[in-house]
Amino acid sequence: DAGVIQSPRHEVTEMGQEVTLRCKPISGHDYLFWYRQTMMRGLELLIYFNNNVPIDDSGMPEDRFSAKMPNASFSTLKIQPSEPRDSAVYFCASSFTLTSGEQYFGPGTRLTVT
Amino acid sequence: AQSVAQPEDQVNVAEGNPLTVKCTYSVSGNPYLFWYVQYPNRGLQFLLKYITGDNLVKGSYGFEAEFNKSQTSFHLKKPSALVSDSALYFCAVRSKGGSYIPTFGRGTSLIVHP
């Protein structure tokens, strides 16, 4: 398996622009997670899905952030409009179950908003 | 609520020497505990986990961790460090009976000197 795939790997955009991050989870994994990593706040869970349904989005910082999972093999995280404080590395992770606890992370998207 | 503390931002060790990366946790009930490693420009990789049973857990790349319930600790260890072990290490915890989503620590940077 190719593992969790994320695109783009790097994104530089100007404040106010829309940004879309993409994720393909490992085939057969029922859970998908979006995380944000910054020096100041560490690794934060933004939202997670089970069988394509959002279960907990309490970590989404504000309404500018939205996430969708239209099918089992694809998810997007969208920021509209983007702000400089959104600059971070965004990780997607997937897991087969929740009870085992292990998550498999993608390589991340480094977002820079100028 | 569940939380994880990694008291050291950075650990320095000479190649060939034993290493320890510390982790303490707080959780209601019994814990599930995890260690992940993050190499530069990569996503987190699962190293090992404790769920139940033997307090000494062995994982990937020669790493092991010891669960100590009385001290609420789960320190990561390796008998002989390699330069290639240099990376960011994350401890994570979740409650067996509560939230299935783990809480991650802030991470500890391990630097192994030749």
Side-chain angles (χ1 to χ4, degrees), chain A residues 63-82:
Chain A
D63 292 345
R64 298 185 295 106
F65 286 70
S66 62
K68 294 181 179 179
M69 193 165 185
N71 58 61
S73 59
F74 183 66
S75 177
T76 60
L77 177 68
K78 186 176 292 186
I79 308 172
Q80 166 62 16
S82 58

Side-chain angles (χ1 to χ4, degrees), chain A:
Chain A
D1 198 314
V4 175
I5 298 172
Q6 290 187 248
S7 65
R9 293 293 310 274
H10 301 273
E11 177 79 38
V12 180
T13 191
E14 292 183 349
M15 182 174 62
Q17 296 298 306
E18 177 180 295
V19 175
T20 300
L21 312 181
R22 297 173 176 80
C23 174
K24 176 179 168 56
I26 292 173
S27 177
H29 281 191
D30 292 335
Y31 293 86
L32 183 140
F33 309 83
W34 281 101
Y35 288 91
R36 179 171 67 176
Q37 185 180 42
T38 61
M39 290 292 291
M40 291 294 293
R41 301 173 69 91
L43 194 66
E44 303 172 275
L45 177 67
L46 300 178
I47 185 172
Y48 81 94
F49 294 82
N50 178 25
N51 291 324
N52 315 336
V53 176
I55 302 300
D56 184 353
D57 65 354
S58 59
M60 297 286 262
E62 45 197 282
D63 292 345
R64 298 185 295 106
F65 286 70
S66 62
K68 294 181 179 179
M69 193 165 185
N71 58 61
S73 59
F74 183 66
S75 177
T76 60
L77 177 68
K78 186 176 292 186
I79 308 172
Q80 166 62 16
S82 58
E83 297 182 3
R85 59 194 171 117
D86 301 331
S87 297
V89 180
Y90 291 81
F91 289 105
C92 175
S94 69
S95 68
F96 180 62
T97 71
L98 277 186
T99 51
S100 69
E102 300 146 59
Q103 298 179 17
Y104 296 82
F105 284 74
T109 296
R110 182 173 296 276
L111 173 65
T112 303
V113 183
T114 61

Side-chain angles (χ1 to χ4, degrees), chain B:
Chain B
Q2 56 193 34
S3 65
V4 171
Q6 293 183 242
E8 302 154 316
D9 290 336
Q10 184 171 303
V11 170
N12 292 278
V13 64
E15 187 174 31
N17 283 359
L19 70 87
T20 299
V21 182
K22 296 179 180 177
C23 171
T24 59
Y25 67 89
S26 174
V27 71
S28 299
N30 293 317
Y32 284 3
L33 293 154
F34 309 86
W35 276 102
Y36 287 79
V37 60
Q38 184 181 24
Y39 297 103
N41 300 314
R42 303 285 296 277
L44 279 69
Q45 295 179 36
F46 170 76
L47 269 182
L48 52 80
K49 67 180 177 183
Y50 170 83
I51 293 180
T52 188
D54 194 345
N55 289 343
L56 186 63
V57 179
K58 295 188 183 298
S60 308
Y61 312 120
F63 283 93
E64 58 189 26
E66 186 168 12
F67 170 60
N68 187 316
K69 187 172 184 177
S70 63
Q71 297 186 5
T72 61
S73 67
F74 189 57
H75 301 332
L76 181 70
K77 300 180 180 183
K78 187 174 182 181
S80 179
L82 300 173
V83 172
S84 57
D85 292 330
S86 299
L88 195 56
Y89 290 81
F90 291 89
C91 182
V93 67
R94 77 163 181 89
S95 169
K96 280 187 183 179
S99 168
Y100 287 113
I101 304 302
T103 297
F104 286 83
R106 293 296 304 271
T108 297
S109 177
L110 173 66
I111 299 175
V112 181
H113 302 277

